[in-house]
Amino acid sequence: MKRLLSFLVIFLLAITVLPARTYIVSVGIADYPGTQNDLRVSANDAKTIAGIFNKNGKAEVDCFVNSDVTIQKVCSAMRQTFAKATSSDAIIFYFSGHGIPGGLVCYDGFLDYSSILKIMKQSKAQQKMIFVDACFAGKMRNTNKRNTNYSKEN
């Protein structure tokens, strides 16, 4: 709950300063196939994020939860939704669920970080944000050494 509240504070602050439009794909999986990998609140987190931005009026939100979080649906939604953004808009990808080294666990398999980053790079939006609440998310930068030189590539 504390983690969700922290996200909400960040999102509420972002809403007040975000550009013309914001395009969001919010994804959460609590009910994975079988029962041993289920989570408690991930689907609700994605719905909450979607609800906050839907109230804004300047956002277009796609939200997928549980069995709808397939690799194909998530990637298609990101491509289609983020392609609408202009350079003055923002795009956001939010994921809550299981993570593994190198990617995120969708309902039907593994979505690697490089695929997410490739889709994000294709958007014209200058402001791009990724929020991942999953194990191993800190490795998304995929670098072997610490780099404090912040550039377009970093």
Side-chain angles (χ1 to χ4, degrees), residues 40-111:
R40 291 182 321 128
V41 296
S42 295
N44 287 336
D45 288 351
K47 290 177 190 176
T48 300
I49 297 305
I52 289 169
F53 280 98
N54 273 327
K55 287 181 183 178
N56 176 298
K58 291 184 175 182
E60 182 175 319
V61 182
D62 285 316
C63 184
F64 299 93
V65 296
N66 297 322
S67 62
D68 283 335
V69 182
T70 64
I71 296 166
Q72 192 274 330
K73 282 183 182 179
V74 171
C75 290
S76 287
M78 288 175 60
R79 279 188 202 95
Q80 291 172 7
T81 302
F82 297 162
K84 298 174 188 176
T86 67
S87 62
S88 62
D89 296 329
I91 61 172
I92 298 173
F93 176 64
Y94 175 84
F95 180 91
S96 183
H98 285 297
I100 60 175
L104 306 173
V105 181
C106 291
Y107 194 82
D108 62 343
F110 166 75
L111 176 57

Side-chain angles (χ1 to χ4, degrees), residues 1 6 17-19 23 26 35-37 63 68 73 77 85-87 93-94 102 104 109 117 121 125 141 145-146 148:
M1 185 65 170
S6 296
V17 297
L18 285 177
Y23 297 89
S26 184
T35 57
Q36 70 184 42
N37 293 316
C63 184
D68 283 335
K73 282 183 182 179
T86 67
S87 62
F93 176 64
Y94 175 84
L104 306 173
L117 297 174
K121 281 183 179 183
R141 294 179 88 194
K145 60 183 178 181
R146 188 180 178 123
T148 56

